[in-house]
Amino acid sequence: MIRPILIHPDPRLKKLCEPVAEVTADMGRLAEDMLETMYAAPGIGLAAPQIGVIKRVIVMDCVKGEDEAPRPLVMFNPEITWSSEDLSTYEEGCLSIPDQYAEVQRPAEVRVRWTGLDGKPQEEQFAGLWATCVQHEIDHLNGKLFIDYLGLMRRQMITRKMEKLKRERARQE
Ligand code: NI
């Protein structure tokens, strides 16, 4: 089921999310809905608070090519266990901040440990777009958005644009 995506500013996007105690069938359904919502958007990553669920769950698929097989990843309680000293800069966007993009500098590679859909621990090292995406999504679980890396003026400008967008959308409903 496709769920509505919250648009910044929203207090639910600023919350510290709770760990998932157990990967139950409900959690499996949540992850399925998140993947469906992400692919439909379309986007390459989504965190549970973006659909109003204040839990530590993210989904991603950074496969770009149309002829490449999709690689949906579901992570419960993801944790960064190592970050490279090397940094890389990507132009980031966010489904909760539509049509706004800005360059953000982050560690170029990270190692992440998480619990999978099967309830088992997994660990993997990510580079390139995957590394940026997983860090962006984990930030969401700590109430942090990519615009929080920008200067105050830029952040306020984007926030005002989003407030306007929300007012326009509310009027259309
Ligand atoms: Ni985002």
Side-chain angles (χ1 to χ4, degrees), residues 7-110:
I7 303 297
H8 165 75
D10 188 299
R12 289 166 287 181
L13 294 172
K14 303 258 66 169
K15 292 245 194 296
L16 178 67
C17 296
E18 291 164 21
V20 173
E22 200 189 339
V23 181
T24 56
D26 273 353
M27 282 296 118
R29 275 190 293 273
L30 169 67
E32 228 171 81
D33 284 358
M34 285 173 63
L35 279 170
E36 200 181 335
T37 303
M38 178 191 81
Y39 284 124
I44 59 170
L46 188 73
Q50 293 182 274
I51 57 164
V53 178
I54 311 305
K55 293 219 182 295
R56 303 190 78 80
V57 188
I58 64 173
V59 298
M60 323 191 277
D61 186 346
C62 299
V63 171
K64 270 181 179 167
E66 296 261 313
D67 4 296
E68 271 178 86
R71 194 196 171 205
L73 267 182
V74 174
M75 298 183 177
F76 298 98
N77 305 329
E79 264 179 86
I80 293 171
T81 58
W82 173 83
S83 305
S84 67
E85 277 175 34
D86 277 5
L87 303 174
S88 70
T89 303
Y90 267 94
E91 184 159 78
E92 296 190 22
C94 181
L95 294 175
S96 292
I97 311 174
D99 301 322
Q100 303 297 317
Y101 303 91
E103 287 193 340
V104 177
Q105 198 178 45
R106 301 181 186 268
E109 289 187 52
V110 288

